[in-house]
Amino acid sequence: MAQNKATRPAKGQERTKDRKANRRGAARLAAVQALYQMDIAGAGINDIFAEFESHWLGGEVEGDRYLPAEAAFFRDVVSGVVRDQAKLDPLIDDALSKGWPLRRIDAILRAVLRAGSYELEHRKDVPGRVVVSEYVDVAHAFVDGDETGMVNAVLDQIARQFRADEFSRGGG
């Protein structure tokens, strides 16, 4: 009996891990929405942070309740994409099919690809396969299967550049 108890997570540990993952997922979704809004409306980063942190992150908007998001993670992804966009866009362009440069991709998918690429390069605390999977899930919230397949392929290719060690192990 003691051996079983020792191998099980502590009471509440699984739920805490799930809650953190859900809060990060909500932060990713919010970051993509914020980046999209910045791209389309030309909103500044400080205005975006103020709007999202006061109204969207864990709030209710137009009757829809939004999951609480990890605000620091949200800020890191958004500010990181803004800071590194000049470096990220050529990487994404290289991973896209020839003849389809990033500027021809729908704005919401540009936001997904930029956020995913940023996280793959800078957030080594999150496994690469998790990053790819999470941003494919975010893309599913906005577009159909063909486009999510493109997101998966592009982010997988970028992951293999930034995380070659992770993707060479275990059948990647």
Side-chain angles (χ1 to χ4, degrees):
M1 191 82 147
Q3 189 174 21
N4 285 341
K5 187 175 180 183
T7 58
R8 285 195 319 249
K11 186 175 180 181
Q13 186 176 4
E14 286 176 338
R15 276 184 270 145
T16 302
K17 185 177 178 182
D18 289 345
R19 201 173 302 130
K20 182 177 181 179
N22 288 340
R23 290 173 57 87
R24 287 230 170 140
R28 287 181 180 100
L29 181 62
V32 166
Q33 291 171 315
L35 291 166
Y36 171 80
Q37 194 168 324
M38 291 173 72
D39 193 10
I40 295 299
I45 194 166
N46 291 329
D47 292 337
I48 287 292
F49 283 158
E51 178 183 341
F52 273 75
E53 289 173 358
S54 65
H55 294 97
W56 291 86
L57 302 185
E60 190 172 311
V61 178
E62 298 174 3
D64 291 328
R65 183 91 182 132
Y66 287 82
L67 279 174
E70 191 175 317
F73 194 83
F74 164 79
R75 280 183 165 262
D76 178 56
V77 171
V78 173
S79 60
V81 168
V82 169
R83 182 189 64 236
D84 292 352
Q85 186 173 332
K87 184 172 84 173
L88 295 172
D89 284 1
L91 281 169
I92 297 166
D93 265 338
D94 287 346
L96 286 165
S97 296
K98 298 304 173 217
W100 283 99
L102 185 60
R103 70 180 183 279
R104 289 185 65 189
I105 301 295
D106 186 66
I108 196 69
L109 292 175
R110 282 195 305 266
V112 170
L113 292 171
R114 286 171 175 154
S117 297
Y118 168 79
E119 198 172 328
L120 285 166
E121 182 178 13
H122 293 284
R123 295 301 305 233
K124 304 295 187 191
D125 58 317
V126 182
R129 284 179 174 78
V130 170
V131 174
V132 172
S133 176
E134 286 284 318
Y135 282 101
V136 168
D137 287 347
V138 168
H140 270 292
F142 301 105
V143 297
D144 67 28
D146 291 343
E147 291 164 309
T148 58
M150 180 272 296
V151 167
N152 185 53
V154 169
L155 291 179
D156 184 73
Q157 188 173 336
I158 290 169
R160 290 171 189 279
Q161 292 175 41
F162 290 131
R163 313 264 188 114
D165 58 324
E166 281 183 54
F167 283 75
S168 63
R169 300 187 304 244

